[in-house]
Amino acid sequence: MLIAKDYPVSSNVKSAPETALESLQFAHSSSTRVDFQVGDTELQLQVEACAPGVFRLRCARPAQLNPEKLSPRAEAHTEMLLARPEPVGELAVSSLIEQRGAAWQIEQGDVRLDVGFAPLQISLYKGDQKLLSSAPQATLAANVSSDAPLWQLNWQLSDTEGLFGLGETTGNLNRRGERLDTDSAPWRTLPLVWSTNGWGLYVNTLKRVEHDLGSSQPNVYSVCSHTAILDVYLFTGEPGDILNQYTAQTGRAGQPELWPMGVWLDQVEAAPAQHMLSLARHLREQGLAFDVIRLANPAVYGFQHDKPNFEWDPERFANPRELFAQFDELKLKVAAPSFPGVIAGTYQFEEWEDRGWLLMDDDTGEAYQFEGNAASGGKPFGLLDLTHRDGYRLFVERQRQMVDEGLGAPICDARFNIPDNITARRGESGAVLRNIYPILARQALFDAVAGHKTPQEGIMLSTDLFPGVQRFAWQLGPKVSNDWDGMALSLRTALALGNSGVTVQTHTLGNPDAPTDKLTPELYIRWLALNVLSANFSFQATEALLPDAFDEETQKLVTHWLEWRYRLIPYVLGIIEDAVRSGMPVQRSMALCFPEDKTAQEWDTQYMFGPALLVAPVLKPGVDHEIYLPEGSAWWDVATGWRYEGGQVLSVKAELNTLPIFGREGQILCLGPAAQNTTEFNSARLLEEVWMFGMPEQSPVVMRNKIRVMQMQGSSYIKGLEGLKILPSEGLEVKRRGAEVRISRMR
């Protein structure tokens, strides 16, 4: 079974380049770029002003850095990694003499990069504050003359700064002291790292990158890139600014529709879909609020054995149109698994092997047969070469056919263990092919589901992590053990992915493949409460993990929390819509939101649920708990309405119908109606109630937001609250003036 676990340490990390590059000579500059010659080598270092607060460092031979024309493959790879490859910033260059020797200052407003010549040193500043500097020895080393090029950058770390991002982790969100490899599947690594000192770093490549975050030398961060061209982005600012800059450069998620925001129900075995229909009817009769059925592996549709067409699995979908109509009567959407392959030993496999439409084995000259997996039903298969234009187009068209027939969302894990001797049609192999294959699969699904719509709304589900994953709106979380530790692990993976630029990670309420003897009613409700205050979650369609497996009181609490889930949907979808503009995740770690508050970072299972709510999920038995209120804000207890100053620990009681939740002063929380299904939402009246945490200072985050806050003479004036019930904080009064609401302090 797939249980998240601690990641191994690979003996392959870390590599060591042969040549340290010690000196530079200024070559020339423009309004967006500065070029330096590297010592007496053929190499050139380019520093580019990509955007305000963002520098791009590239180093290689001039012909590699400035080719006359990119090859089609290089253009495609650039598009996979960068949404904005052209610089939009401007820089100014000046020379200076310091005690340590000659240097050049490269400035963008109050951000500057100092490049020292002898020896080579790089320092990043914001104002007078030094954010990052290269290590005293061997700032930059390279080995570019062999068939295995390698670059290494070494950065000096302060004693207290934390390093965050870099993908999924089951442990401490602070990655300091770890060693990671982007081409080792167990690590599930992503390319962005940022520091609480105010800098971020992204290595722009599809090839293997190694990160030594103080494992070998406690105060040195070494990053090794196995590429012919060193290509590194440096970001400056608060962590939220860095996520904004990073996703602006590399791409942001699109928007889901409304229905995926409702609760999901996951099938747990490859039973006939009719069984899920019967269960759905039963749960509807019980009053369980949910919107989506997610079918389990193996794939319920795929390529026919003798034709390049998709067909539904006849054993599970005897009459697909009729079945979808029956789900539709229950107001349910269906998500179902597929995979971009064809079963080995079939006519279609042989046909596509002859055409070169499958990934090929260099050693044999034949299509490579992958071992059977869950999606293929255990049968060996060949992978459709998605780098092949016709193969990619075919996969998109067939997926769209399924959507047209009633499928709500496809599910496709495409992070395959592709051996180094397997080559795609355009020549990709090794780490590059392992990275681009899930990118192409996810993009094909997006093109099928949302690419032809205006606006482009839709989701495609996967557990895959790869460079560019933040462009896609729906990431499936891990399966974990059915105990308190499993719940905490699911939360940590969501916060870690949020630190890495991924907007949404969903959760499951339990794991049908793990023992359930430790899943008490108390744990079940605490887990449900955590999931309600997340991007989204799913129930598991097995007897021991559904609400009616528990006593009547527990079932009443389930109903209570599901009412809150649906009331929160306008807020949650608003957060996701805002991520299209900001790159910020739904669940936000303490380090991400409060980088200067070291105490807050120690409370690393607390999180901000969007900009308005601080949540301290209950991760142990009992009702007595503590919550830390971060410095810099006042906080309003959602349960009592009392106000507290930040920078303190509170002891609170949290019965099973509540959690320690505090509203951030100046924010507004907009709530929708309680519902059994998102189809009950009235598009003309999405909201029912507005909660205020102190004097409103910020426009609220809410789907299709038309509420605006303005401040004048000590009062707040709000437009867009017509017909809504307003709950102001203590000490405030509300006066309605036509379409405008005035919030002022009581006299």
Side-chain angles (χ1 to χ4, degrees):
M1 59 186 170
L2 179 61
I3 303 283
K5 57 185 179 181
D6 291 338
Y7 302 142
V9 176
S10 170
S11 60
N12 293 331
V13 183
K14 88 181 197 188
S15 307
E18 297 175 353
T19 305
L21 305 177
E22 296 289 351
S23 63
L24 296 176
Q25 295 90 41
F26 175 79
H28 56 83
S29 66
S30 67
S31 62
T32 60
R33 199 178 82 196
V34 185
D35 292 353
F36 299 96
Q37 187 68 29
V38 181
D40 57 0
T41 72
E42 298 179 1
L43 302 176
Q44 190 175 80
L45 174 67
Q46 292 182 350
V47 180
E48 192 172 69
C50 290
V54 183
F55 289 104
R56 184 182 189 183
L57 279 61
R58 303 174 74 226
C59 194
R61 295 181 177 88
Q64 295 172 300
L65 293 173
N66 307 301
E68 292 184 3
K69 184 179 180 180
L70 289 176
S71 67
R73 181 170 66 171
E75 284 187 352
H77 291 179
T78 297
E79 291 174 359
M80 290 177 189
L81 292 172
L82 296 176
R84 192 173 66 192
E86 299 300 323
V88 296
E90 292 188 357
L91 54 78
V93 188
S94 58
S95 61
L96 67 148
I97 301 296
E98 296 183 345
Q99 292 181 354
R100 61 181 173 82
W104 288 86
Q105 283 188 345
I106 306 169
E107 296 178 288
Q108 290 193 80
D110 66 341
V111 176
R112 81 174 195 267
L113 197 71
D114 286 2
V115 181
F117 293 173
L120 172 60
Q121 289 282 290
I122 301 173
S123 298
L124 182 65
Y125 289 83
K126 187 174 180 64
D128 295 329
Q129 180 185 3
K130 181 186 289 188
L131 307 179
L132 176 67
S133 63
S134 54
Q137 298 86 23
T139 295
L140 177 62
N143 178 15
V144 294
S145 59
S146 70
D147 293 333
L150 178 65
W151 297 87
Q152 180 174 325
L153 269 170
N154 298 309
W155 303 100
Q156 189 73 28
L157 301 174
S158 68
D159 292 336
T160 59
E161 71 180 299
L163 301 177
F164 295 86
L166 291 176
E168 190 174 285
T169 178
T170 60
N172 197 325
L173 299 179
N174 185 353
R175 315 305 295 270
R176 186 79 179 259
E178 291 189 50
R179 187 182 285 180
L180 303 170
D181 178 354
T182 62
D183 194 34
S184 294
W187 275 310
R188 293 177 59 76
T189 306
L190 292 176
L192 174 68
V193 60
W194 52 264
S195 163
T196 50
N197 277 19
W199 59 268
L201 183 145
Y202 160 61
V203 182
N204 181 49
T205 182
L206 290 164
K207 294 189 176 181
R208 178 183 174 192
V209 179
E210 301 165 16
H211 299 269
D212 187 332
L213 301 113
S215 170
S216 302
Q217 302 179 64
N219 287 341
V220 175
Y221 165 37
S222 295
V223 56
C224 292
S225 179
H226 292 251
T227 53
I229 301 174
L230 177 68
D231 192 355
V232 173
Y233 284 76
L234 293 178
F235 307 105
T236 60
E238 298 288 315
D241 298 330
I242 292 170
L243 284 190
N244 187 3
Q245 295 164 349
Y246 169 67
T247 54
Q249 295 293 328
T250 61
R252 293 173 177 151
Q255 296 178 187
E257 299 169 89
L258 178 59
W259 65 262
M261 305 307 302
V263 177
W264 292 50
L265 179 66
D266 293 351
Q267 186 184 34
V268 298
E269 58 184 14
Q274 194 71 35
H275 174 266
M276 284 299 291
L277 181 63
S278 300
L279 177 60
R281 287 188 177 127
H282 170 68
L283 295 176
R284 274 279 186 259
E285 291 170 0
Q286 289 187 317
L288 189 75
F290 67 113
D291 270 81
V292 189
I293 297 292
R294 175 186 164 194
L295 299 179
N297 277 317
V300 300
Y301 61 89
F303 287 108
Q304 297 180 22
H305 289 180
D306 58 348
K307 295 178 182 178
N309 298 320
F310 274 171
E311 66 177 350
W312 297 97
D313 181 348
E315 295 184 3
R316 298 171 68 183
F317 276 82
N319 190 330
R321 292 184 181 276
E322 179 181 340
L323 189 63
F324 278 121
Q326 291 173 314
F327 277 122
D328 190 59
E329 288 177 5
L330 294 171
K331 300 178 181 179
L332 293 172
K333 294 287 188 177
V334 177
S338 177
F339 80 112
V342 58
I343 301 301
T346 63
Y347 172 83
Q348 197 62 55
F349 180 95
E350 296 175 358
E351 172 72 13
W352 284 351
E353 181 180 38
D354 289 341
R355 291 191 185 187
W357 279 24
L358 302 178
L359 293 184
M360 304 299 290
D361 186 332
D362 291 344
D363 296 336
T364 65
E366 299 176 347
Y368 184 75
Q369 292 192 23
F370 291 83
E371 294 182 2
N373 61 12
S376 73
K379 300 175 182 178
F381 60 91
L383 277 180
L384 186 63
D385 187 348
L386 295 178
T387 71
H388 191 294
R389 183 176 58 183
D390 293 337
Y392 179 90
R393 185 185 299 117
L394 174 68
F395 191 59
V396 171
E397 290 172 352
R398 296 299 177 261
Q399 293 288 349
R400 188 173 296 170
Q401 168 197 336
M402 298 295 104
V403 173
D404 291 342
E405 291 185 8
L407 180 68
I411 309 165
C412 182
D413 284 342
R415 182 78 177 184
F416 297 98
N417 184 20
I418 303 174
D420 287 344
N421 62 316
I422 306 304
T423 303
R425 185 182 183 92
R426 291 191 309 202
E428 294 93 345
S429 63
V432 173
L433 182 55
R434 286 187 286 272
N435 274 322
I436 70 167
Y437 200 85
I439 296 175
L440 290 168
R442 199 79 164 258
Q443 185 62 50
L445 296 179
F446 178 82
D447 291 345
V449 172
H452 61 298
K453 299 178 182 177
T454 304
Q456 292 186 333
E457 294 182 336
I459 62 168
M460 56 299 310
L461 285 68
S462 175
T463 64
D464 296 331
L465 293 181
F466 49 83
V469 69
Q470 77 284 346
R471 297 184 181 188
F472 304 100
W474 216 256
Q475 191 70 21
L476 295 177
K479 290 186 176 181
V480 296
S481 53
N482 292 316
D483 52 26
W484 294 96
D485 289 341
M487 178 173 62
L489 191 152
S490 184
L491 171 61
R492 287 185 183 279
T493 60
L495 296 179
L497 290 183
N499 285 341
S500 307
V502 177
T503 301
V504 167
Q505 184 215 271
T506 65
H507 301 266
T508 61
L509 183 48
N511 177 4
D513 298 325
T516 59
D517 55 300
K518 295 182 180 179
L519 189 64
T520 63
E522 179 184 17
L523 171 57
Y524 191 80
I525 294 302
R526 295 302 195 194
W527 205 333
L528 173 60
L530 164 64
N531 290 350
V532 163
L533 293 157
S534 74
N536 213 345
F537 72 99
S538 58
F539 285 107
Q540 305 303 296
T542 185
E543 183 176 352
L545 296 175
L546 286 172
D548 56 6
F550 299 92
D551 59 83
E552 185 176 345
E553 185 60 31
T554 301
Q555 292 181 47
K556 290 180 180 178
L557 287 166
V558 169
T559 299
H560 163 78
W561 282 110
L562 289 181
E563 286 180 358
W564 271 107
R565 172 63 200 179
Y566 279 83
R567 295 201 71 193
L568 284 165
I569 282 178
Y571 175 63
V572 181
L573 188 51
I575 301 170
I576 298 175
E577 290 176 353
D578 190 57
V580 177
R581 298 179 291 273
S582 70
M584 288 291 281
V586 175
Q587 290 178 284
R588 306 171 182 180
S589 72
M590 292 291 95
L592 178 58
C593 297
F594 308 101
E596 297 181 356
D597 190 337
K598 299 297 183 184
T599 303
Q601 294 165 36
E602 295 174 3
W603 295 71
D604 64 350
T605 55
Q606 292 184 180
Y607 60 93
M608 289 297 297
F609 182 41
L613 298 179
L614 172 66
V615 180
V618 175
L619 302 177
K620 62 180 181 180
V623 298
D624 295 315
H625 300 281
E626 292 184 331
I627 181 172
Y628 174 74
L629 304 179
E631 296 176 346
S633 293
W635 300 91
W636 295 78
D637 189 335
V638 168
T640 66
W642 295 346
R643 181 184 184 275
Y644 298 88
E645 293 293 337
Q648 62 174 313
V649 177
L650 287 185
S651 296
V652 298
K653 284 191 178 294
E655 302 292 343
L656 290 177
N657 64 347
T658 188
L659 280 181
I661 306 173
F662 285 71
R664 191 170 192 172
E665 186 156 86
Q667 294 285 343
I668 299 175
L669 176 65
C670 298
L671 298 172
Q676 293 291 299
N677 190 274
T678 56
T679 61
E680 297 177 9
F681 279 58
N682 182 346
S683 60
R685 185 181 171 84
L686 293 169
L687 302 178
E688 282 194 345
E689 200 166 84
V690 175
W691 292 11
M692 297 182 178
F693 305 118
M695 181 67 71
E697 298 175 356
Q698 306 291 333
S699 296
V701 170
V702 61
M703 62 185 289
R704 304 170 192 169
N705 191 0
K706 297 182 180 179
I707 301 173
R708 294 292 180 265
V709 176
M710 298 172 291
Q711 291 182 290
M712 187 183 306
Q713 298 178 341
S715 298
S716 291
Y717 296 83
I718 308 176
K719 293 184 178 180
L721 298 182
E722 296 90 339
L724 300 182
K725 182 179 179 181
I726 301 173
L727 279 71
S729 299
E730 185 177 357
L732 299 180
E733 63 179 0
V734 177
K735 293 183 179 179
R736 295 183 183 269
R737 296 180 176 180
E740 187 177 78
V741 172
R742 177 189 175 189
I743 310 296
S744 58
R745 302 192 187 281
M746 290 183 179
R747 297 177 180 178

